Structure formats: C-alpha cells, structure tokens
Amino acid sequence: MSHSTIQTDIFFAEFDGRPYAYGLSSDETRATAESSFRFGDPSDDYALGNSWAVSPDDSGWRIVRRTFPVTHLAVEFVGEIGVTNHVSWQCPECGAWSSEDVEHDAVGPLLVHCGSRHHADDGIWVILNW
C-alpha cells in the first residue's frame, strides 16, 4: 500500500458540540446525520433533535469544518454482487488492521478513522482510495 498525508477538510455534524457524523463534504455529512437514529423528534428514543442551527446562539445540529492531516492510502477492493464486501486497511501510524463494510458497487474515496488505543491523541484520519 502506498500513502501520502495531506491537510484535508473534514466536516462534522455536531449536536451540542458533540460530533455524531463526519464526511468529506458538508452535504454528505448532513445527509449522514439526517439518516441517523440520532436525528429526529427528541421525544423519540435516542433522537437528539431535528432542527439545524442557523446562528451561533441557536441550539440544534450544525455542520463544523475542521482541517486535519489525513493519510491517503491506496487499497485493493475486491467484491461480489449480493454479499457484504470489505476493504481492509492497515493504519500507517500504529499498524492496526481494520476492515470497512462497503457495497459491491462502492467507489472510493472513503474517509475512515483509526481510533486504536495505540494512538496518544484522538486517532488519525485516513482516506481509502481504490
């Protein structure tokens, strides 16, 4: 696997300052948050809220952009129609192996996070390309 590290914007969907979804674009992250069980009427089990904050003083969901060093890895995707496929990758920092479930027709890149206990900080961000 080859890799390079590039400063990359990552978008987070946060509720009350806590991130619940992330992605490489604001629209992707918003869609992920809105499809989550955390998004919805707060009277429903586990839902936090269903409104997006407009101003800094509003409560609700908000998209926050942060820049991180992100390692780009070239990985091999092998899949079959009708079954769960996986992309396996090795963290370039700690060496831990991970596997991500992907659809058979998935097209990279895929943003992932290594939160292995081997990291002294909050882990590292990785973009998988195939």
PDB file of all heavy atoms in Angstrom, residues 47 66 77:
ATOM      1  N   ALA A  47     -33.258   9.983  19.777  1.00  0.00           N
ATOM      2  CA  ALA A  47     -33.157  11.156  18.909  1.00  0.00           C
ATOM      3  C   ALA A  47     -32.786  12.385  19.731  1.00  0.00           C
ATOM      4  O   ALA A  47     -33.292  12.589  20.832  1.00  0.00           O
ATOM      5  CB  ALA A  47     -34.460  11.389  18.161  1.00  0.00           C
ATOM      6  N   ARG A  66     -13.345  21.245  10.023  1.00  0.00           N
ATOM      7  CA  ARG A  66     -12.030  21.273  10.662  1.00  0.00           C
ATOM      8  C   ARG A  66     -11.016  20.680   9.685  1.00  0.00           C
ATOM      9  O   ARG A  66     -11.370  19.849   8.865  1.00  0.00           O
ATOM     10  CB  ARG A  66     -12.040  20.468  11.961  1.00  0.00           C
ATOM     11  CG  ARG A  66     -12.948  21.050  13.019  1.00  0.00           C
ATOM     12  CD  ARG A  66     -12.764  20.354  14.366  1.00  0.00           C
ATOM     13  NE  ARG A  66     -13.606  20.967  15.356  1.00  0.00           N
ATOM     14  CZ  ARG A  66     -14.833  20.532  15.683  1.00  0.00           C
ATOM     15  NH1 ARG A  66     -15.340  19.469  15.097  1.00  0.00           N
ATOM     16  NH2 ARG A  66     -15.539  21.153  16.598  1.00  0.00           N
ATOM     17  N   PHE A  77      -9.852  -3.179  -3.518  1.00  0.00           N
ATOM     18  CA  PHE A  77     -11.245  -3.522  -3.248  1.00  0.00           C
ATOM     19  C   PHE A  77     -11.587  -4.743  -4.093  1.00  0.00           C
ATOM     20  O   PHE A  77     -11.424  -4.735  -5.304  1.00  0.00           O
ATOM     21  CB  PHE A  77     -12.161  -2.352  -3.623  1.00  0.00           C
ATOM     22  CG  PHE A  77     -13.625  -2.693  -3.524  1.00  0.00           C
ATOM     23  CD1 PHE A  77     -14.265  -2.669  -2.312  1.00  0.00           C
ATOM     24  CD2 PHE A  77     -14.353  -3.047  -4.652  1.00  0.00           C
ATOM     25  CE1 PHE A  77     -15.610  -2.981  -2.211  1.00  0.00           C
ATOM     26  CE2 PHE A  77     -15.697  -3.358  -4.565  1.00  0.00           C
ATOM     27  CZ  PHE A  77     -16.326  -3.321  -3.341  1.00  0.00           C
TER      28      PHE A  77
END
